[in-house]
Every structure is written in structure tokens, then in C-alpha cells.
């Protein structure tokens, strides 16, 4: 090895080729081999190590399998950069036979630093889904609710923003930009940038307001202005709402600050009111029994709440029918359970009317007469 580092004059290692010598070429080739071995070793070991740490299969496939190449490239570039700097520092030794052209002394470290910075940024982006794995690990019921999904979406958005900002600084430094001058320039042109990015800044403040005030969470059914649907995603810039037609509407977060939001997901109960139109010839005693039985059926339902505020009473007498008003409250989690409860109640009311010998008003009978 000492023969390569300090080749004797006239030896094979001292022969000059393309502004360098065979010794330097051999060292650079060896350095490349070490970098490639580091890359393959990292790509082989990292997924296996992270697979033991990450619990979620979905996150594992996204964060691990898609990030091994970026991490391998970063490790290879980092090792190569370290070794190249050692070789460059050895050029100052009097007895050193290392010959690296002046342009390469500047170019090679910058290229390796650029590859390292870009690879680290890409790897960091691929690891953002780990937020979901952390939340699932801390979750006790093994099922993510709307609040937890909102937290995941918000944290992932903030991490992506932070990675992009820091990554830009690292990449700019790798490209040789003077960060001090760059920051000073940003200070001078800050007003212009703020004016140009006022919508983006407004959206960021809107996202902060949504996350702090929590007017809704992922999974809630909301009405925002003229948009109605389920909140699908909350990011730093926009909120995505999936409509009943399965389309996605993108709402800028800035609009959410000054726009009323009607959130059906925050309902403590679901009220249902209807009117039963009985035949005018109905027996009053049977109607009273019927109303009492309907109210009892409402009270006995496992999904009924606020039974003291529920009623089933004769409300009015019209020229064509005897109207019975029904009011009740259900504690159900969604539209499907509500429709099921409504179906059971309506069928039960029909059966009670039949058992009491009551019939509902039929407008066809009026037309026939």
C-alpha cells in the first residue's frame, strides 16, 4: 500500500495518465469499490433492521422498501466523500504520490456532497409515513379514529415542509452557494417574497387554525360554503373533501378561517321528526293506545337518547286526516345505522297500527269519493 501512496519515480504507479497517475487512479477505483460495497450492504441491512422496528405492514412497504436505495446512495456518497477528503489532504505531504487535478479537487467533493444531500432528503421524505406507525403503536384500540388520522395528516405535512426547507439549504450548500449571502438576499427581498406567497402563507395560517381549533377531523361529514362531503385529508395548504358523488374537492385552508363550517360529525345525537296521517274515522281510544305504544317502542330502542324529549302525540285534525306528530333522538355513529334505526321504527309503527286496527290516510280514497 505504501508503494501506491509514495510510488518510486519511474515505477508503474508513478506513470502519469490523464493529468493524474496510476496510483491515484487505483486509489479512486478502490474508493469506488468501497462506496459500492457500502451501498449494497446498507440496502441489504437497513430494510431488515427497520422491518423489525416498524409494525405497520403498509408503512413498512412504503417507508422501508422505497427508501433503501436512497439510504444506500447516501451511505455510499458519505463514505466516498470522507475518503476523497482524506486523499486530498494527503496531497499536501511532500512524499505523497497522489495526483488529483485542481478542477477535480473542487468538483469531486461537491458532486459527492450533492448526491449525499439529495439522497438524505429523499430518504427523509420516504420515512414520513413512519408517523402513522408511531401513532398506531401508541393507540390502545388498534383502530385509528378521525382525530388520530387528522394528527397523522398534519404531522406528515409539517415534516414534509421542514424536510423540503432544510433539504434546500443542504443542496444549496452542496452546490457551492454562499448561504450567508443567500440569507441576506432573502432578507432584502423578503417583502417581495411575502407578497408573492401571501396565499401560501394564508393557507398555512388556515391549517394552523384548523389544527388548533379542530372544527372537524378526517372522517367528519361537513358542509363548507357550497361543498358537502367527508373530510378525506388535511394538509398544510389544502383540505380535501370527498363528496357523495365520490369526487374530491380541494378547499384552500385560508377559506376555512372566514367560512362557516357545518360539521355533522360533531352531532351529539340525530333528531328525526315525522307526521303520521291516520284515517279520520279512527277510534280515539285506539289512537291513544297506538301513540302510547309507539312512544314505548321509541323509549325501548337501544339507540334512542333524550327519551324525556321524545313524543308521539296527536297534533292536529285536518279535513282529510288525523295527524300524529313523532319526535325522537338517536345516538348513532353514521348514516347507515341511522337508516337502519329508521327502518326498524317505521316497520314497527306500521305493525302497531295494524294491531290496533288503525289505517293511514289514503288520498286515493278521497279522489275516488
Amino acid at each position: 500500500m505504501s508503494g501506491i501512496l509514495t510510488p518510486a519515480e519511474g515505477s508503474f504507479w508513478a506513470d502519469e495518465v490523464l493529468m493524474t497517475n496510476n496510483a491515484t487512479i487505483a486509489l479512486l477505483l478502490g474508493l469506488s469499490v468501497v462506496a459500492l460495497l457500502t451501498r449494497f450492504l446498507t440496502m441489504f441491512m437497513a430494510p431488515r433492521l427497520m422491518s423489525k422496528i416498524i409494525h405497520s405492514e403498509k408503512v413498512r412497504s412504503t417507508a422501508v422498501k422505497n427508501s433503501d436505495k436512497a439510504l444506500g446512495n447516501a451511505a455510499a456518497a458519505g463514505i466516498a466523500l470522507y475518503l476523497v477528503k482524506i486523499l486530498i489532504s494527503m496531497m499536501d505531504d511532500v512524499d505523497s504520490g497522489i495526483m488529483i487535478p485542481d478542477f477535480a479537487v473542487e468538483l469531486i467533493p461537491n458532486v459527492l456532497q450533492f448526491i449525499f444531500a439529495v439522497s438524505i432528503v429523499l430518504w427523509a421524505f420516504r420515512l414520513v409515513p413512519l408517523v402513522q406507525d408511531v401513532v398506531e403503536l401508541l393507540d390502545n384500540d388498534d383502530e385509528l379514529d378521525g382525530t388520530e388520522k387528522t394528527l397523522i395528516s398534519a404531522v406528515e405535512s409539517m415534516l414534509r415542509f421542514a424536510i423540503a426547507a432544510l433539504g434546500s439549504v443542504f443542496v444549496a450548500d452542496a452546490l457551492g452557494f454562499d448561504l450567508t449571502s443567500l440569507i441576506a438576499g432573502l432578507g432584502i427581498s423578503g417583502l417581495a417574497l411575502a407578497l408573492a406567497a401571501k396565499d401560501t402563507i394564508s393557507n398555512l395560517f388556515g391549517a394552523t387554525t384548523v389544527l388548533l381549533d379542530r372544527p372537524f377531523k378526517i372522517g367528519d361529514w361537513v358542509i363548507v360554503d357550497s361543498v358537502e362531503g367527508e373530510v378525506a385529508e388535511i394538509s398544510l395548504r389544502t383540505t380535501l373533501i370527498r363528496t357523495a358523488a365520490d369526487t374530491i374537492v380541494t378547499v384552500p385552508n385560508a377559506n376555512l378561517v372566514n367560512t362557516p363550517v357545518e360539521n355533522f360529525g360533531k352531532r351529539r345525537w340525530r333528531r328525526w321528526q315525522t307526521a303520521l296521517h291516520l284515517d279520520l274515522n279512527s277510534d280515539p281510544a285506539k289512537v291513544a293506545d297506538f301513540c302510547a305504544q309507539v312512544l314505548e317502542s321509541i323509549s325501548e330502542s337501544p339507540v334512542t337518547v333524550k327519551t324525556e324529549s321524545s313524543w308521539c302525540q296527536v297534533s292536529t285534525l285536518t279535513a282529510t286526516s288525523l295527524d300524529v306528530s313523532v319526535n325522537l333522538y338517536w345516538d348513532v355513529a353514521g348514516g347507515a345505522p341511522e337508516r337502519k334505526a329508521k327502518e326498524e321504527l317505521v316497520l314497527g309503527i306500521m305493525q302497531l297500527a295494524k294491531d290496533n286496527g288503525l289505517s293511514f290516510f289514503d288520498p286515493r280514497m278521497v279522489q275516488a269519493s
Side-chain angles (χ1 to χ4, degrees), residues 126-298:
R126 301 284 171 77
L127 291 182
V128 168
L130 285 177
V131 173
Q132 178 177 339
D133 193 66
V134 173
V135 174
E136 289 180 349
L137 182 64
L138 298 176
D139 187 38
N140 296 325
D141 56 7
D142 296 328
E143 184 177 351
L144 297 178
D145 57 25
T147 301
E148 291 165 336
K149 290 179 180 178
T150 302
L151 174 64
I152 292 172
S153 177
V155 173
E156 287 182 349
S157 296
M158 288 187 288
L159 284 177
R160 290 189 182 97
F161 179 80
I163 292 170
L166 294 176
S168 300
V169 174
F170 292 146
V171 172
D173 182 56
L175 292 175
F177 288 100
D178 187 351
L179 295 182
T180 303
S181 301
L182 183 62
I183 294 174
L186 289 176
I188 296 173
S189 58
L191 179 60
L193 289 174
L195 292 174
K198 63 178 182 179
D199 291 339
T200 300
I201 295 174
S202 298
N203 288 328
L204 291 177
F205 277 111
T208 304
T209 301
V210 170
L211 295 175
L212 293 179
D213 293 346
R214 295 173 63 184
F216 52 77
K217 61 181 182 293
I218 292 178
D220 284 349
W221 192 273
V222 299
I223 298 179
V224 181
D225 201 3
S226 60
V227 179
E228 179 178 358
E230 180 184 0
V231 179
E233 182 180 339
I234 303 173
S235 63
L236 288 181
R237 195 180 68 84
T238 59
T239 293
L240 303 183
I241 297 178
R242 185 177 296 279
T243 67
D246 202 34
T247 60
I248 288 290
V249 178
T250 302
V251 180
N253 287 331
N255 294 359
L256 300 175
V257 177
N258 301 315
T259 303
V261 177
E262 184 175 1
N263 187 350
F264 291 89
K266 287 186 175 292
R267 289 184 293 181
R268 295 169 297 171
W269 30 257
R270 303 193 180 200
R271 185 182 187 184
W272 186 58
Q273 289 180 299
T274 190
L276 308 176
H277 306 288
L278 299 179
D279 188 272
L280 274 176
N281 297 319
S282 300
D283 186 342
K286 291 184 177 181
V287 171
D289 291 340
F290 168 74
C291 291
Q293 292 169 9
V294 170
L295 184 59
E296 182 181 0
S297 175
I298 292 173

Side-chain angles (χ1 to χ4, degrees), residues 270-351:
R270 303 193 180 200
R271 185 182 187 184
W272 186 58
Q273 289 180 299
T274 190
L276 308 176
H277 306 288
L278 299 179
D279 188 272
L280 274 176
N281 297 319
S282 300
D283 186 342
K286 291 184 177 181
V287 171
D289 291 340
F290 168 74
C291 291
Q293 292 169 9
V294 170
L295 184 59
E296 182 181 0
S297 175
I298 292 173
S299 301
E300 292 178 351
S301 173
V303 296
T304 300
V305 294
K306 298 184 65 174
T307 54
E308 69 282 357
S309 300
S310 302
W311 69 74
C312 178
Q313 293 177 322
V314 175
S315 58
T316 185
L317 181 67
T318 69
T320 56
S321 64
L322 178 67
D323 293 348
V324 176
S325 174
V326 179
N327 179 82
L328 66 138
Y329 303 85
W330 283 314
D331 181 14
V332 288
E338 180 181 2
R339 291 190 295 271
K340 180 64 175 177
K342 188 181 299 184
E343 178 188 46
E344 292 177 354
L345 178 62
V346 170
L347 293 177
I349 289 175
M350 292 180 64
Q351 185 61 47

Side-chain angles (χ1 to χ4, degrees), residues 101-145:
D102 292 339
F103 76 91
V105 170
E106 295 290 336
L107 179 63
I108 295 177
N110 286 341
V111 170
L112 291 175
Q113 187 176 351
F114 175 77
I115 295 174
F116 177 78
V118 172
S119 299
I120 286 293
V121 171
L122 291 176
W123 180 61
F125 269 116
R126 301 284 171 77
L127 291 182
V128 168
L130 285 177
V131 173
Q132 178 177 339
D133 193 66
V134 173
V135 174
E136 289 180 349
L137 182 64
L138 298 176
D139 187 38
N140 296 325
D141 56 7
D142 296 328
E143 184 177 351
L144 297 178
D145 57 25

